Amino acid sequence: MPKKKKTRGNGDGSIYFSESRGSWVAQVTVGKTAEGKIKRKSIYGKTRKEVQEKLKKTQAELQYGKYIDPSKVTVIDFIFSLIEDDHELNIIRDVSYTRKMSTAKVIEKSQFAHYPIQTVTEGQIKDFLKGITNYSNSIITKAYALLRRCFNEAVLKEIIIKNPMSNVRRPKSEKQDKKVRALTIDEQKKLFYVLKNQDVDYGVQMQLMMLTGMRMGEINALDIDDVDLTFACINIRRSLTKDSNEHTVIGKTTKTYAGMRKIPLTGQAVNLLTEYLKSYIPNKEHLLFYDYRANKILTTSQVNLSFSRLLKKYDVIDNKQHGSVSLHSLRHTYATRCIEGGMSAKVLQTLLGHKDIKTTLNTYCDAFAEFQNEHIKLFENYLEKNVLSS
């Protein structure tokens, strides 16, 4: 077995095979303690080559001053670094980057997030998770996922030996999830009437959402040239997002790759946009819709607020119906009418820009089930009339 070489300075390392661990090991000097003692880092790998590569990387980090002592890496700093790396490698897009950074800031508020990752205990993680049960299930799920990623990566990078989250389960929110529903046909008729006959802020965007199923963030990010009325289609290639300062900006892409799509326009949608474009005023962003009063990008929140006021003022909603109604209900309304009209799940998935057909099926399972039951009845009547009748 090769003998262990003595290190002479920061960055010098030795490689040897450890029979007790059953793996190759390298030790490299990374500095000195406050007492002046030499501080070393151990690097492990299944092969000598793997350890050599890890050693070279550490040596390079030491040489250029980028090496961080694992004992000083805090939970939140490690989480931020993982998100930044994913973004720089194009693993996540701007929209996901902003969303993950927002979730990380929820974790950052906790005390344990600022502890060195090597000192964090299972109990501290559980205490943090218990403390965020007042958030929605969506936020809890995202925070839990970020923490799991953090400690899994810490194990892989050999910052810690044991994962303190191995036996930690995701908690559930104290809040009851509100299911956003589609409008009924009567509610939709009433809403269309109001939007066509009353002066409602952003009414065109609301109608377009019901007629195309687009997300409001996609609608407000439309370039004027994304609309082709000659061929009756819209090219969806980006969406609104938020920057690191939580300011609304135009994203480079849509929410997902599947969100980048070209959708056909119905005759009603073509007529709506044709009429709207007659009074269109150019703006510096070249956007189809724009906040001319404030001379800035129109946010989804602005449309949402206008929609909420509309519902109350004109008594559009039937309160006997189960489920909550929000601006996103207009997208659900489009999808539900498509299903009721006989559209397949696969076609609807493409139109809505869902990455996975499971999302389409799970989101609109009730509508698909009702549509299926209606067609079973038609099949049954057909069978009795043409096959089973004597």
Side-chain angles (χ1 to χ4, degrees), residues 1 286 316 325 373:
M1 182 178 73
H286 211 247
V316 173
V325 173
N373 291 335

Side-chain angles (χ1 to χ4, degrees), residues 271-305:
N271 292 337
L272 173 71
L273 291 174
T274 299
E275 192 63 29
Y276 169 75
L277 289 172
K278 288 179 181 178
S279 55
Y280 172 76
I281 302 172
N283 56 80
K284 62 180 182 180
E285 300 288 349
H286 211 247
L287 293 169
L288 178 63
F289 300 107
Y290 192 69
D291 185 352
Y292 292 97
R293 284 174 287 196
N295 192 29
K296 65 181 183 65
I297 296 168
L298 182 63
T299 68
T300 300
S301 297
Q302 288 174 264
V303 185
N304 205 353
L305 183 60

Side-chain angles (χ1 to χ4, degrees), residues 95-157:
V95 177
S96 297
Y97 170 77
T98 304
R99 193 181 302 115
K100 286 180 182 293
M101 291 298 281
S102 178
T103 303
K105 288 176 182 178
V106 173
I107 300 173
E108 188 180 21
K109 295 176 184 177
S110 66
Q111 189 175 4
F112 97 100
H114 301 277
Y115 294 162
I117 199 167
Q118 291 183 333
T119 67
V120 173
T121 65
E122 180 181 309
Q124 290 167 340
I125 298 170
K126 285 182 176 178
D127 287 342
F128 164 72
L129 292 173
K130 290 174 185 176
I132 61 169
T133 54
N134 58 319
Y135 285 88
S136 68
N137 276 316
S138 175
I139 293 176
I140 292 172
T141 299
K142 290 171 184 174
Y144 179 81
L146 264 186
L147 285 173
R148 282 196 69 87
R149 168 92 191 280
C150 167
F151 289 104
N152 284 337
E153 289 286 344
V155 172
L156 290 173
K157 293 180 184 297

Side-chain angles (χ1 to χ4, degrees), residues 208-230:
L208 189 61
M209 195 173 186
M210 275 193 290
L211 293 170
T212 64
M214 293 173 64
R215 301 175 180 90
M216 190 52 67
E218 295 170 341
I219 291 173
N220 287 339
L222 285 172
D223 187 284
I224 187 70
D225 293 333
D226 290 331
V227 180
D228 188 341
L229 295 181
T230 303

Side-chain angles (χ1 to χ4, degrees), residues 2 23 25 79 99 161 184 209 218 252 281 288 290 340:
S23 64
V25 184
I79 289 174
R99 193 181 302 115
I161 298 173
T184 65
M209 195 173 186
E218 295 170 341
K252 296 178 182 178
I281 302 172
L288 178 63
Y290 192 69
E340 291 170 351

Side-chain angles (χ1 to χ4, degrees), residues 24-122:
W24 286 88
V25 184
Q27 284 199 334
V28 58
T29 303
V30 295
K32 291 184 179 181
T33 65
E35 295 77 23
K37 295 181 179 179
I38 293 176
K39 204 171 188 178
R40 295 184 178 88
K41 171 184 170 64
S42 295
I43 301 169
Y44 303 95
K46 294 180 180 179
T47 65
R48 186 184 185 93
K49 184 178 180 182
E50 181 184 348
V51 173
Q52 280 178 327
E53 290 175 353
K54 289 181 178 180
L55 179 60
K56 286 178 182 177
K57 182 179 178 183
T58 302
Q59 289 170 331
E61 289 172 346
L62 285 165
Q63 183 179 351
Y64 295 104
K66 293 183 178 181
Y67 177 78
I68 300 175
D69 189 335
S71 64
K72 296 179 182 178
V73 177
T74 64
V75 172
I76 194 61
D77 286 342
F78 194 60
I79 289 174
F80 281 140
S81 70
L82 291 174
I83 298 172
E84 291 290 353
D85 285 347
D86 284 350
H87 190 233
E88 290 173 7
L89 292 169
N90 290 323
I91 294 172
I92 58 173
R93 296 188 173 198
D94 292 344
V95 177
S96 297
Y97 170 77
T98 304
R99 193 181 302 115
K100 286 180 182 293
M101 291 298 281
S102 178
T103 303
K105 288 176 182 178
V106 173
I107 300 173
E108 188 180 21
K109 295 176 184 177
S110 66
Q111 189 175 4
F112 97 100
H114 301 277
Y115 294 162
I117 199 167
Q118 291 183 333
T119 67
V120 173
T121 65
E122 180 181 309

